[in-house]
């Protein structure tokens, strides 16, 4: 009886070892496939890049084209931002620091209203807005880590994945 129990224990142990080693080796193959597919430019990645560009442009509009002075005509910096530096820091979440600075410099006038509100330029930074387009209206190339979004109007946005979020690092108008 002892031999039978010992034999049963050996077979059980052998099956457990074989079963565990097969799971580990197949898991490694799955992980390799996942790593290869992470950089692939899928429809989902294209949609994320496109939406990142649209969202970033909407944020510029929120900061600079949202509020007006009491006269109803003079554009001013959105009241939620204490100064232009705060607005630039906010935009740096959606654009590289260089692009955020270019946008901030474009709208800067150095002037204030009687109520100490910062006056900004009325001319939009984006001559051809992407907000009026659809995903089908643009061409997206690259991979999941870095790509370009090109509009029919000839505007090219370079988009990069940084800290799990797509950030615009270049704009050619």
């Amino acid at each position: 009886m002892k031999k039978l129990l010992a034999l049963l224990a050996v077979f059980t142990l052998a099956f457990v070892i074989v079963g565990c080693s097969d799971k580990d080796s197949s898991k490694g193959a799955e992980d390799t496939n996942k790593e290869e597919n992470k950089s692939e430019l899928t429809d989902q990645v294209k949609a994320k890049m496109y939406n990142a560009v649209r969202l970033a442009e909407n944020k510029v509009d929120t900061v600079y084209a949202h509020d007006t002075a009491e006269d109803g005509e003079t554009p001013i910096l959105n009241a939620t931002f204490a100064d232009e530096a705060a607005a630039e820091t906010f935009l740096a979440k959606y654009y590289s620091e260089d692009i955020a600075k270019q946008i901030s410099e474009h709208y800067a006038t150095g002037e204030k209203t009687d109520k100490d509100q910062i006056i900004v330029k009325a001319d939009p930074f984006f001559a051809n807005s992407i907000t009026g387009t659809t995903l089908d209206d643009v061409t997206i190339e690259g991979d999941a880590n870095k790509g370009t979004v090109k509009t029919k109007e000839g505007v090219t946005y370079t988009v990069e994945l940084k800290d799990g979020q797509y950030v615009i690092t270049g704009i050619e108008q």
Side-chain angles (χ1 to χ4, degrees):
M1 187 72 170
K2 288 183 184 180
K3 287 184 180 180
L4 183 61
L5 286 176
L7 187 60
L8 185 59
V10 169
F11 279 126
T12 305
L13 186 60
F15 284 123
V16 169
I17 291 172
V18 170
C20 289
S21 65
D22 283 344
K23 288 181 184 176
D24 289 342
S25 65
S26 66
K27 230 182 209 179
E30 288 174 12
D31 289 345
T32 304
N33 290 339
K34 285 181 184 177
E35 287 295 322
E36 290 172 5
N37 292 337
K38 278 186 181 180
S39 64
E40 187 178 322
L41 188 62
T42 62
D43 288 342
Q44 183 179 12
V45 171
K46 287 180 181 181
K48 285 181 180 180
M49 285 183 176
Y50 172 72
N51 287 331
V53 172
R54 284 179 53 118
L55 177 66
E57 188 172 324
N58 282 329
K59 295 302 178 182
V60 170
D61 290 343
T62 300
V63 172
Y64 295 107
H66 187 265
D67 293 346
T68 57
E70 284 183 359
D71 64 7
E73 294 179 17
T74 307
I76 58 171
L77 184 69
N78 189 314
T80 58
F81 300 100
D83 56 16
E84 291 172 344
E88 189 176 317
T89 302
F90 172 74
L91 290 177
K93 295 176 186 175
Y94 305 95
Y95 297 92
S96 67
E97 289 182 18
D98 293 339
I99 300 294
K101 186 174 184 167
Q102 285 177 10
I103 293 169
S104 179
E105 288 173 353
H106 171 81
Y107 284 102
T109 63
E111 300 174 17
K112 292 188 176 188
T113 65
D114 297 340
K115 297 200 177 212
D116 209 32
Q117 297 167 315
I118 299 170
I119 298 174
V120 295
K121 290 181 185 171
D123 298 333
F125 180 79
F126 299 100
N128 296 305
S129 176
I130 196 168
T131 57
T133 65
T134 65
L135 184 58
D136 295 332
D137 296 333
V138 298
T139 304
I140 301 173
E141 299 172 341
D143 60 37
N145 297 320
K146 184 177 180 179
T148 58
V149 178
K150 297 178 184 177
T151 66
K152 291 179 181 177
E153 291 81 20
V155 181
T156 302
Y157 302 88
T158 303
V159 182
E160 290 185 38
L161 185 63
K162 293 186 178 182
D163 299 325
Q165 178 181 342
Y166 286 106
V167 176
I168 290 87
T169 57
I171 302 170
E172 294 176 26
Q173 297 192 51

